[in-house]
Structure formats: structure tokens, C-alpha cells
Amino acid sequence: MNYGQFLNMVPEFYLVLILIAVFAVDFIMHKSEKKHDVLSAVTMALMAVLPFRIAFLSEPSEAFGGLYVASEAVNVMKVILAFGTLIVLIMAQPWLKTVKRLEGEFYMLVISTLLGMFVMMSSGNFLLFFLGLEMASVPMACMVAFDKWKQNSAEGAAKYILTATFSSGVMLYGISFIYAAAGTLYFGDVAATITASPLAIMGMVFFFSGLGFKISLVPFHFWTADTYQGAPTPVTGYLSVISKGAAALTLCIILMKVFQPLVAYWEYLLYIVIVLSITVANLFAIRQNELKRFMAFSSISQAGYIMLAVVGNGQMGVTALTYYVLVYIVANMAVFTVINVVEHNNGGRTDMAAYNGFYQTNPKLSFLMTLALFSLAGIPPFAGMFSKFFVFMAAAEQGSAAAYFVVFIALINTVVSLYYYLLIVKAMYITKTDSPLPTFQSDSSTKAALAICTAGVALFGVCSCIYEWIAAAGL
């Protein structure tokens, strides 16, 4: 084996170097009073370089005979996920000061999960894909349980682990069917040899079910609300955007490239799952009073919109999906940054009643959260409107009556989603209370995260160069 091929895995190689550097700094300064500041500065600096390192110095590459394949589209998504991870680390700073010197472990877990997602997206073989998936899932379970002093955190982690284990078993079962039908695990060879046999169709359905868990699609979503509520808020934000984006692009590429001969079967499966995900999640979101559970059902609905791009089954669909993930990251992380700082300054409360009269005492945070919620709802002129438009266009490009019907249902659901996002706006601006949350000063890391996210919400929709950069990557 030529071990020099590992150098072709540039983003993954750089992430391993970051992981080693963070471990070394954490080990050397474990007794120092300045550990938090130094470790945070080193991690932020290295992670800030990562998106630029991938964008400007990473080329499409292949290693180990097609086991690892990094296309331009995958590299673009890696840039976006690295950017989103940096936002998560910035907004997590107030919480990390409370975790009793365990910030080094948190950073290493986040980097490990991101490494697994990168490997998963760049896989050219079902075996490497599964290894990348597990590399991301196992540290994620530790992150969910990181707040070990809270019962909800342990409960959420237990549900996540049990469901992840079951979904991994179902997925492996499906991969074994695919191997039996095609005689190979390489994506290119499977696409060339697979036919619409009952064995292949069952394998594809089981595989889809396993990844449906990662994306929180209905009916594979039952873990989501409890896990989002129990996990620390920065981890919830990471789960809702970074993990979802990586799994969505991977599923998109595999359906379009590997299972293209079975498109007549997975297309209708996708229609059903999208309609259920958007509709069921919206209906359940209306009934929520706990804000993290509310955002859990919002993320399930958004997952349905993300997968709507795959219906187009073409280049425009991949571009729309990637662009949607980018816009979703900045809008959703803006909301979770506000939730995190309010939780930190309000005794750990995350219920919606805590935001009653919020505008009276904290008008700036209320305004920024409103902008983010409007973007999630798809209200113009914010970036969320443009991302939804491109997703609808990609789905309509398919041209069938079924695709038009799914787009119509999704359009109706945007009205429902606008209603429940306005419930938070109503609590902040209209609902009166005798004891609103006191005025507080946000720390510098919260201001930085909100500045980045708000700029993204305002500019990503009107700056056509962003969409053109994503579209130029190809499939």
C-alpha cells in the first residue's frame, strides 16, 4: 500500500493535525489557570483556517483505488460544515466556562465528529461510508451526554445511542443486501451492475432508513425531540445543522449516483418521506412550549425541505441542497445562540414563557432572533426565502405530477411554519409579563457568533456569487 495517498485526503489530514494540536495544548496546560483562554484561542485559530484551507488548497482527489473520492461538490460542503462548526465553537464559549475544565474533551469530540462526516461524504465505498458514519456517531453520543450533571442529558444520550445502534444495524443489513445483489461495495461498480431486483430494492430501502435517522426524517425522527432537549444547547445546534447537512449531501449523492438505476423506486419513497417530514413536524411544532423541542421539530421540517432538492435528481438539486444547508446553518445557529445566552442568564430556562416581554429588556437580541426566525420561515428579503425558492425550483424541474404535488404540499406548509415561528415573535414583542428576563450584556463570543449569522442571513440571499460558487462545483 502507498501510504502517501493519505496526503490526498487534505481536509481529513488537516483535521487530524488540529485534533493532535488541541490534545497537546490540553495536556500541557491541564493545570494552568489560563487553560480555557489558550485552548479556545488555539482551537478557534486552527478551525478558522480550515474553511479557507479546503476552499483554496483542496482539489478533487481520489485515493486507495476509489475507496476515497472527494469531488468539488463534496469539498464545497466541507467548507460550509467547517464554517458552521466554527460558529458552534464560538457560540459555545459561555457554556464551556461552566463545564469544569472539560473544554478540551469537548473540542476533541467536535473535531472527531467532523472528521467522521468528512470521511463519510468522501467515501467511494459502502465500507468506508459506514466507518465514517460511526466515526461521527459515537463521539456525538458523548457530546449529547456531556452535561452529565443533568438527568435530561443522560436520557437524551441513551435514546440517541439506542436509536443509532438500531439504525446502524438496519443500514448494515441493507448494505449486505446490496453486496449480494451487485457483488461489490464500490459505488461506481454498484451503479454499473445493480438492477431492480427484490434484493436490491430491499437493500436500498434499509440503507435509506439508516440515513433517514441521521437526517431526522419522519418516521425515523422519534429520538430527535428528547435528544435535542437533553443535550447542551451548543450540541443541539451542532446536531441540527452540521450532522444533518453532511448526511443529506451523502444521501443525495448515493441516490443520484449509486441507486440511479432504481430511481423509479426511491423517488416515490422520497415523496412520501418528504411530505410526512414537513407536515408531521409542523403540526407537532405548534404544540411545543419548550424551545429546544420546538426547534427539534423545526429541524425535522427543514430536513424535509432539504431533501426536496433531491427530487429533481440532477445538478440543480445538488446545488439547491448545498445552498439550503449554508443558509440553514446561519439562520438556525443565530436562533440557538440566542437560546444559549438566554439559558445562561436565566437559570437554565429554555421554555417559551421565558421570552415573554423579551423585547422590553433585550431589544437587540429580540431583533436578531426575529430576523433568523423570518429566514427560517422563508420570508423575503432574507436568505431563507431564496434557499426555499431554489429547492422548489429543483423539485419542480423533475416535471412529473407527483413532484408538483409534493412542491404544492411544501408550499402550503411554509404558511404553517410561519405561524409557529411567529409564536416566538409574539412572545418577545406582544405577550406581557410582570417579570420579564432582566437586561443583560452579551459576552464577546455571543456577539461574534450573532454578527456572523446575521450577516449570513442578510447577505447570502442577495450575493449571487455564493450561489454561483456552489453551482460551479458540479455533482
Side-chain angles (χ1 to χ4, degrees):
M1 180 191 296
N2 180 10
Y3 290 100
Q5 293 184 80
F6 281 111
L7 298 178
N8 293 337
M9 305 168 64
V10 174
E12 291 79 9
F13 184 75
Y14 187 76
L15 267 180
V16 171
L17 293 181
I18 295 177
L19 188 62
I20 294 172
V22 171
F23 175 78
V25 173
D26 185 46
F27 180 76
I28 293 170
M29 303 197 66
H30 71 286
K31 292 184 179 179
S32 173
E33 294 296 328
K34 298 182 178 180
K35 173 187 170 183
H36 175 81
D37 295 333
V38 174
L39 189 59
S40 297
V42 170
T43 307
M44 297 298 176
L46 293 174
M47 289 300 296
V49 173
L50 180 59
F52 299 99
R53 181 72 179 81
I54 302 171
F56 297 109
L57 298 176
S58 295
E59 299 290 337
S61 60
E62 184 175 316
F64 306 109
L67 197 68
Y68 173 93
V69 180
S71 64
E72 288 188 19
V74 168
N75 283 339
V76 167
M77 182 60 85
K78 288 179 180 179
V79 172
I80 293 171
L81 296 186
F83 167 69
T85 302
L86 178 63
I87 297 175
V88 171
L89 295 180
I90 294 172
M91 64 88 74
Q93 293 306 305
W95 169 72
L96 285 174
K97 293 177 182 178
T98 69
V99 295
K100 303 185 185 302
R101 304 176 65 82
L102 293 176
E103 58 266 45
E105 287 81 352
F106 177 76
Y107 290 140
M108 285 184 275
L109 288 171
V110 170
I111 296 168
S112 298
T113 58
L114 189 62
L115 176 61
M117 293 174 201
F118 279 13
V119 171
M120 178 180 68
M121 290 190 294
S122 297
S123 56
N125 182 291
F126 280 107
L127 178 60
L128 185 64
F129 160 80
F130 185 76
L131 290 176
L133 183 68
E134 293 305 299
M135 284 173 62
S137 298
V138 175
M140 187 68 75
C142 299
M143 290 168 61
V144 173
F146 205 82
D147 210 346
K148 59 184 180 182
W149 297 277
K150 291 185 179 179
Q151 181 180 352
N152 285 346
S153 186
E155 179 186 350
K159 291 180 178 179
Y160 179 85
I161 292 170
L162 290 174
T163 314
T165 303
F166 179 75
S167 68
S168 295
V170 171
M171 181 181 292
L172 273 179
Y173 194 46
I175 291 174
S176 69
F177 279 12
I178 294 167
Y179 181 73
T184 179
L185 291 176
Y186 283 89
F187 290 169
D189 295 338
V190 171
T193 58
I194 199 168
T195 58
S197 64
L199 196 63
I201 294 171
M202 286 298 296
M204 182 267 294
V205 171
F206 286 144
F207 177 83
F208 182 92
S209 302
L211 261 185
F213 158 79
K214 291 297 176 187
I215 310 174
S216 302
L217 296 170
V218 176
F220 317 108
H221 68 290
F222 293 103
W223 62 277
T224 310
D226 290 328
T227 299
Y228 278 34
Q229 182 181 1
T233 301
V235 177
T236 304
Y238 187 81
L239 265 172
S240 68
V241 291
I242 311 301
S243 177
K244 199 180 298 297
L249 181 69
T250 306
L251 180 58
C252 174
I253 291 175
I254 291 177
L255 288 178
M256 290 184 180
K257 286 190 171 182
V258 182
F259 294 127
Q260 184 62 34
L262 306 179
V263 63
Y265 297 91
W266 62 255
E267 204 168 55
Y268 285 98
L269 174 64
L270 199 60
Y271 291 156
I272 295 170
V273 169
I274 288 172
V275 170
L276 287 176
S277 297
I278 296 175
T279 306
V280 172
N282 281 347
L283 295 177
F284 274 87
I286 295 172
R287 303 175 60 240
Q288 303 305 313
N289 294 315
E290 211 282 336
L291 206 52
K292 288 166 73 173
R293 293 184 71 89
F294 174 93
M295 292 304 297
F297 287 105
S298 166
S299 75
I300 296 170
S301 174
Q302 297 289 348
Y305 286 109
I306 290 173
M307 294 311 298
L308 190 62
V310 186
V311 171
N313 191 25
Q315 172 57 41
M316 187 176 180
V318 179
T319 303
L321 184 150
T322 308
Y323 180 73
Y324 197 105
V325 170
L326 173 62
V327 173
Y328 180 53
I329 283 175
V330 291
N332 215 47
M333 286 312 304
V335 174
F336 275 108
T337 301
V338 175
I339 293 174
N340 184 57
V341 71
V342 169
E343 181 183 18
H344 185 70
N345 288 276
N346 196 26
R349 286 184 63 187
T350 57
D351 56 293
M352 201 175 296
Y355 292 81
N356 290 344
F358 191 51
Y359 178 76
Q360 302 171 24
T361 54
N362 295 275
K364 293 181 181 178
L365 284 177
S366 300
F367 177 69
L368 295 180
M369 190 168 188
T370 301
L371 295 184
L373 290 170
F374 282 175
S375 183
L376 288 174
I379 296 177
F382 304 109
M385 185 275 288
F386 295 94
S387 63
K388 278 189 168 60
F389 172 77
F390 288 127
V391 162
F392 292 151
M393 286 292 293
E397 188 184 36
Q398 208 272 347
S400 68
Y404 289 139
F405 175 75
V406 173
V407 171
F408 176 71
I409 295 297
L411 282 169
I412 292 176
N413 273 279
T414 58
V415 179
V416 181
S417 65
L418 174 60
Y419 168 74
Y420 65 72
Y421 286 128
L422 286 176
L423 292 177
I424 304 177
V425 178
K426 175 178 177 289
M428 293 189 297
Y429 286 87
I430 299 176
T431 304
K432 303 296 182 182
T433 179
D434 295 330
S435 54
L437 183 66
T439 302
F440 59 84
Q441 186 69 27
S442 302
D443 61 286
S444 57
S445 59
T446 298
K447 292 178 180 177
L450 284 173
I452 295 171
C453 293
T454 305
V457 166
L459 299 177
F460 284 166
V462 296
C463 293
S464 60
C465 59
I466 300 294
Y467 184 83
E468 291 169 359
W469 167 64
I470 295 173
L475 178 54

